[in-house]
Amino acid sequence: MIARNLSRKYAPDYDPASGITRTPLLLLQAPPAPDERRFYLHILAAVGAPATALSARAQNVASLEVRVIALLRDLGLRMIMIDEVHNLLAGTHREQRRFLNVLRYLSNELEVSLVCLGVSEAVDAIRGDIQLARRLDEHHLPNWRDDAEFSDMIQTLIAAMPLEKKSNLKVKSLKQILALTGGVTSRIFALIKDLSIDAIGTGEECITDDAIAKWTPVWSRHANSHRRLEKSGV
C-alpha cells in the first residue's frame, strides 16, 4: 500500500513540448524466482517498452541489460521500488547472488535509490549481498496494538465507509478486532469492509458490537470444509 501510494504520487509525467516522459519512480514486482532475464523483461514492460518486437538475439541478458539501462536513464529515474523481494529465496544461493548483483548494478549505474519491500524473510534475501545490505536501512512495520492510535485508526476507517449511521463500538469490540486480525493492517481493512457490506445489506447501516462478535475471519471461514475434503482424500 505504501509503495502504490508513492507510485501514484510520483507518477510518470509527459512533457508534450519535448516529447519526453519523466518517470521519477518505478515500482516493480520481483519475479517468482531470481531470474535476471525475466526481471529485465518486467522492467521493459513497466516502462511501456515490451520486448515482444525484439529478436531472440536481442532478448539475451546482456542485450536486455544495455537496453534497460539506456531507457531508464532517459526517463530521469530517481528511485526503484521492488515489491515481493523475498521471492529471491526461491532460487539457489548462486541465483540469489546474481540477482542481488543486478540490483546493486542498476542502483550504481543509474545513481538511483533502491527500496525493497516484502515479508520478514526479505531481510534474509537482501543480506545475501553484504555491500547491498549495508546501503539499505531496515524498517519493520509492526502490527497494531491495543492503544489510542489503533482506536483512532478504526474510527477513521469506519467513518470512510458509506454507512448512514454512526458506529459506536465498545472497547471490548476493539479488542475483538485485534484478536481476530492479529493486528495485521490488511486483515483489519478486510474485516471493516466485510462488516460494512453486511450492514448495508441488512439495512443496519452501522457496524455493531454484535456483528463483530459474530464475524468469522475470511482466512478461517472455510477451514472446516477444507478439513472434510482432506479426510475424504479430495
Side-chain angles (χ1 to χ4, degrees):
M1 293 174 64
I2 294 173
R4 289 176 182 174
N5 183 50
L6 284 172
S7 182
R8 288 191 294 268
K9 184 176 181 180
Y10 299 101
D13 181 39
Y14 176 71
D15 182 3
S18 62
I20 298 175
T21 298
R22 295 295 179 186
T23 305
L25 187 152
L26 182 62
L27 175 59
L28 304 165
Q29 183 173 222
D35 186 322
E36 302 164 75
R37 181 176 179 276
R38 182 182 292 182
F39 184 58
Y40 283 134
L41 291 174
H42 282 340
I43 293 177
L44 292 176
V47 299
T52 52
L54 298 177
S55 64
R57 183 177 181 180
Q59 292 192 35
N60 61 54
V61 174
S63 299
L64 290 174
E65 177 186 291
V66 173
R67 181 174 175 81
V68 164
I69 291 294
L71 282 173
L72 295 186
R73 185 174 284 123
D74 290 342
L75 293 175
L77 195 65
R78 301 292 300 277
M79 177 182 290
I80 298 177
M81 301 187 76
I82 304 173
D83 197 8
E84 307 289 347
V85 75
H86 48 269
N87 287 347
L88 271 68
L89 297 175
T92 65
H93 179 70
R94 182 179 179 183
E95 290 171 337
Q96 293 178 38
R97 290 296 302 272
R98 287 175 62 89
F99 193 86
L100 291 171
N101 283 341
V102 168
L103 298 185
R104 181 157 44 82
Y105 173 74
L106 288 175
S107 177
N108 290 341
E109 189 68 18
L110 297 169
E111 297 182 346
V112 299
S113 298
L114 183 64
V115 177
C116 298
L117 304 101
V119 298
S120 56
E121 287 80 3
V123 176
D124 296 327
I126 295 299
R127 286 175 179 169
D129 187 302
I130 297 177
Q131 294 184 43
L132 185 61
R134 287 174 177 170
R135 302 181 190 182
L136 300 177
D137 295 326
E138 296 177 13
H139 297 278
H140 299 267
L141 294 179
N143 292 344
W144 291 93
R145 297 178 296 176
D146 184 12
D147 54 19
E149 189 175 14
F150 173 70
S151 178
D152 291 342
M153 188 273 287
I154 293 295
Q155 293 177 26
T156 301
L157 185 57
I158 293 177
M161 297 294 108
L163 299 172
E164 295 181 358
K165 300 178 183 178
K166 185 177 180 180
S167 302
N168 296 308
L169 300 179
K170 297 179 180 178
V171 174
K172 181 180 179 180
S173 292
L174 295 179
K175 293 181 181 295
Q176 180 72 3
I177 292 175
L178 273 178
L180 289 168
T181 62
V184 178
T185 303
S186 61
R187 291 183 174 182
I188 294 172
F189 275 58
L191 182 151
I192 298 299
K193 180 181 178 181
D194 242 18
L195 292 176
S196 298
I197 292 173
D198 290 343
I200 293 172
T202 60
E204 190 78 32
E205 288 297 339
C206 68
I207 297 176
T208 64
D209 295 309
D210 187 53
I212 293 175
K214 295 179 179 179
W215 189 79
T216 304
V218 176
W219 42 93
S220 65
R221 195 166 293 171
H222 306 293
N224 291 331
S225 60
H226 287 169
R227 280 193 287 269
R228 286 197 298 270
L229 288 173
E230 289 174 358
K231 288 181 180 180
S232 63
V234 178

